[in-house]
């Protein structure tokens, strides 16, 4: 376990991509801080911080499938960022996942193997012989 390389994953255990990203992190020898954002929810400062760190606006984080995004009128490209952020605060599931934060950066890890770019070393079974 590498405590000198802190990792946080904003995780949805019902999501296969999120579970795969978490498994890759753990296979690389890390015990990340796991935040089930559906239960913990979001704060505006945290969403702002994550968006800034990723260089993305809230629209890029909006999850449409399996969420109330369409029924809330959020799919319309004219929907302002403020409305998107307010909806994400009220309905945490609207934020796509997993978001992973490490000393190497912050990324929305879709597909899951994007997480490999954020690790200090690959999982043991992926290391070169």
């Amino acid at each position: 376990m590498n405590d000198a390389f802190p990792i946080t994953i904003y995780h949805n255990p019902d999501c296969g991509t999120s579970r795969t990203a978490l498994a890759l992190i753990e296979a690389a020898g890390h015990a990340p801080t796991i935040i089930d954002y559906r239960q913990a929810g979001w704060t505006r400062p945290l969403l702002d911080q994550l968006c800034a760190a990723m260089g993305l606006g809230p629209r890029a984080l909006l999850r449409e499938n399996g969420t109330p995004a369409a029924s809330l009128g959020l799919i319309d490209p004219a929907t302002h960022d403020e409305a998107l952020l307010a909806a994400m605060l009220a309905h945490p599931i609207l934020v796509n996942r997993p978001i992973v934060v490490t000393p190497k950066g912050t990324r929305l890890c879709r597909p899951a193997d994007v997480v490999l770019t954020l690790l200090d070393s690959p999982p043991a079974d992926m290391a070169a012989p």
Side-chain angles (χ1 to χ4, degrees), residues 25-68:
I25 292 166
E26 290 173 336
H30 297 284
T33 299
I34 303 168
I35 299 173
D36 182 340
Y37 65 88
R38 300 167 311 159
Q39 301 299 317
W42 300 102
T43 65
R44 177 61 188 264
L46 178 58
L47 284 176
D48 288 342
Q49 176 187 357
L50 292 171
C51 283
M54 291 185 284
L56 299 174
R59 170 129 342 253
L61 291 183
L62 180 65
R63 179 163 183 85
E64 297 177 14
N65 295 337
T67 75

Side-chain angles (χ1 to χ4, degrees), residues 19-106:
R19 290 191 308 269
T20 299
L22 177 58
L24 288 168
I25 292 166
E26 290 173 336
H30 297 284
T33 299
I34 303 168
I35 299 173
D36 182 340
Y37 65 88
R38 300 167 311 159
Q39 301 299 317
W42 300 102
T43 65
R44 177 61 188 264
L46 178 58
L47 284 176
D48 288 342
Q49 176 187 357
L50 292 171
C51 283
M54 291 185 284
L56 299 174
R59 170 129 342 253
L61 291 183
L62 180 65
R63 179 163 183 85
E64 297 177 14
N65 295 337
T67 75
S71 64
L72 293 171
L74 303 175
I75 306 303
D76 182 347
T79 304
H80 293 282
D81 285 354
E82 290 300 321
L84 294 173
L85 289 165
M88 290 171 174
L89 293 174
H91 305 277
I93 196 69
L94 289 170
V95 177
N96 218 338
R97 74 279 180 158
I99 297 173
V100 178
V101 180
T102 80
K104 290 182 76 174
T106 301

